[in-house]
Amino acid sequence: MFVSSAYAASTTETIVAQSETPAHTETAAPGTAPDAHATETHTETGVAHEKAVFPPFDSSHFPSQILWLALTFAVFYLFLSRVILPRIGGIIETRRDRIATDLDQAARMKQESDDALAAYEQELADAKKKAGNIAQTAHDEAKAKSEAEQAKISAELEKKLSDAESSIAAIKDKAMKEVGTIAEDTAAEIVKKIVGGTVDKASISAAVKAVRG
């Protein structure tokens, strides 16, 4: 923007200066060739034109260029400080708040999960303890019931054994009595067959008892 205006001003000054100067042709010194770059004569108007310097490289334009550069930098700095930087700061602050909120939520969720895990472990421990108590109680009840059944069966077996022994003893006594009677009758018959007469029953009984004793 400022380069084009400076260039226009330089061109205008050059044209005005040349219009006030009459056309002339420099005569070169003897033995020297005219400098084609120093002075040129226009064939149509007869006005000599000096070769122009590119305005940005012209030292006479440096102050204006520095001024425009300072103004442009100031405007750009104000634009950054008043528009861009506040927006960037707002975005960063929003991001910071969102990150802090997410971190707080994550910490709260972690605490809730830890509490839930601790409650689950406590319930599991209580359930195991309760199950152990129930198993121990069932074991004790089963043991007591088994011991009672075993005592009852033992008592019944002892009673049956006692009854059997009593019955066996009665049978034995009865059998022994019958054996004595049979022996007396057999002895009486034998004596009768051999002797041919009768024998006193008391004598036979005494004899049989003497043999048995």
Side-chain angles (χ1 to χ4, degrees):
M1 181 174 63
F2 60 87
V3 174
S4 60
S5 61
Y7 179 75
S10 176
T11 304
T12 304
E13 292 176 357
T14 303
I15 293 175
V16 171
Q18 290 177 355
S19 62
E20 294 176 355
T21 304
H24 63 279
T25 302
E26 295 182 356
T27 304
T32 60
D35 189 359
H37 296 285
T39 304
E40 294 180 358
T41 302
H42 198 279
T43 57
E44 296 179 356
T45 60
V47 179
H49 293 280
E50 295 181 357
K51 186 175 181 180
V53 181
F54 187 56
F57 300 144
D58 190 356
S59 60
S60 63
H61 298 156
F62 286 171
S64 63
Q65 293 178 3
I66 293 174
L67 176 62
W68 280 106
L69 178 62
L71 292 175
T72 303
F73 179 78
V75 172
F76 183 67
Y77 177 77
L78 289 175
F79 178 72
L80 286 178
S81 61
R82 298 295 178 85
V83 179
I84 301 300
L85 293 180
R87 291 184 180 180
I88 295 176
I91 294 173
I92 294 175
E93 189 67 23
T94 302
R95 290 288 182 86
R96 184 184 296 112
D97 294 339
R98 183 178 298 175
I99 291 172
T101 302
D102 293 340
L103 290 176
D104 294 339
Q105 185 176 2
R108 185 174 64 255
M109 293 177 65
K110 184 178 183 298
Q111 184 64 34
E112 292 176 355
S113 63
D114 292 339
D115 294 340
L117 180 60
Y120 169 75
E121 291 178 352
Q122 183 63 36
E123 291 179 357
L124 182 61
D126 294 340
K128 288 182 178 180
K129 184 177 180 181
K130 186 176 180 180
N133 293 332
I134 293 173
Q136 185 64 32
T137 302
H139 177 70
D140 295 339
E141 291 178 355
K143 184 178 180 181
K145 185 176 181 180
S146 176
E147 290 177 353
E149 291 290 335
Q150 184 176 1
K152 183 179 179 180
I153 293 172
S154 298
E156 291 178 355
L157 288 176
E158 289 178 358
K159 183 179 179 180
K160 289 181 180 180
L161 182 60
S162 178
D163 293 341
E165 289 177 353
S166 299
S167 178
I168 290 172
I171 293 172
K172 182 178 180 181
D173 292 340
K174 184 179 179 181
M176 293 301 294
K177 290 178 180 179
E178 291 179 355
V179 168
T181 303
I182 295 171
E184 290 177 358
D185 293 341
T186 303
E189 288 294 329
I190 292 172
V191 171
K192 185 179 180 180
K193 291 291 185 184
I194 295 174
V195 177
T198 59
V199 181
D200 188 9
K201 188 173 182 180
S203 299
I204 295 174
S205 297
V208 170
K209 286 179 181 180
V211 173
R212 289 175 58 191

